[in-house]
Amino acid sequence: MIVLFDGVCNLCNKSVQFIIKRDPHNQFFFASLQSETGRNLLNNYHLSEVDSVILLKEDRYYLESDAALEICSHLTGGWKLLAILKVIPPFIRDPLYRIIARNRYKWFGKQDSCMLPTEEMKKRFL
């Protein structure tokens, strides 16, 4: 599974670190939306206008709250339980997701460049 994320967003970078800590089987790989790999994957899936987290799993992609909940369903611990929120229709879940996504720089800050992963994390980045 590949998680595409906004590489300059502090919330997104913290989320990637959160996922890595709760993914002991290394199921997730990561690419920033700003990277060449990220841009190529966006083009392959015809997702050029997306600027928040995307999960690519097998031949499908998940956006917005669907992506977040699908990621949670594969994490260790109680985070899997959040997947039960999938019973709430996306037209109810996604507006909350969009509010956070629109305000992520204002609320959590922004970096001038993408994060540099540690040596241990590098193997998880495409």
Side-chain angles (χ1 to χ4, degrees):
M1 291 178 278
I2 300 171
V3 176
L4 298 175
F5 66 101
D6 181 350
V8 297
C9 167
N10 286 336
L11 173 62
C12 303
N13 283 310
K14 291 291 183 191
S15 297
V16 167
Q17 293 171 25
F18 179 89
I19 294 167
I20 288 171
K21 287 180 186 175
R22 288 153 186 85
D23 178 27
H25 303 295
N26 298 335
Q27 301 173 87
F28 292 102
F29 293 88
F30 305 90
S32 75
L33 294 167
Q34 295 85 357
S35 69
E36 183 177 342
T37 299
R39 288 189 307 270
N40 288 338
L41 288 166
L42 287 173
N43 287 334
N44 290 346
Y45 284 86
H46 308 289
L47 296 169
S48 59
E49 298 300 317
V50 179
D51 71 344
S52 61
V53 70
I54 303 164
L55 175 66
L56 306 176
K57 181 181 171 188
E58 297 161 3
D59 289 333
R60 291 194 62 195
Y61 63 84
Y62 299 82
L63 303 172
E64 297 182 329
S65 65
D66 284 335
L69 295 175
E70 186 65 24
I71 290 167
C72 286
S73 73
H74 294 280
L75 300 179
T76 59
W79 297 104
K80 289 178 182 278
L81 298 176
L82 288 176
I84 197 161
L85 295 175
K86 290 180 186 179
V87 300
I88 299 171
F91 73 87
I92 295 172
R93 288 185 272 122
D94 286 342
L96 176 60
Y97 180 92
R98 288 184 201 119
I99 290 169
I100 295 168
R102 269 195 311 270
N103 292 289
R104 67 187 184 267
Y105 296 147
K106 183 173 24 170
W107 295 344
F108 302 99
K110 181 178 176 180
Q111 300 174 14
D112 292 330
S113 61
C114 295
M115 77 169 185
L116 294 174
T118 64
E119 286 300 319
E120 182 180 317
M121 282 191 219
K122 278 185 182 177
K123 60 187 172 213
R124 306 282 299 275
F125 286 79
L126 304 175

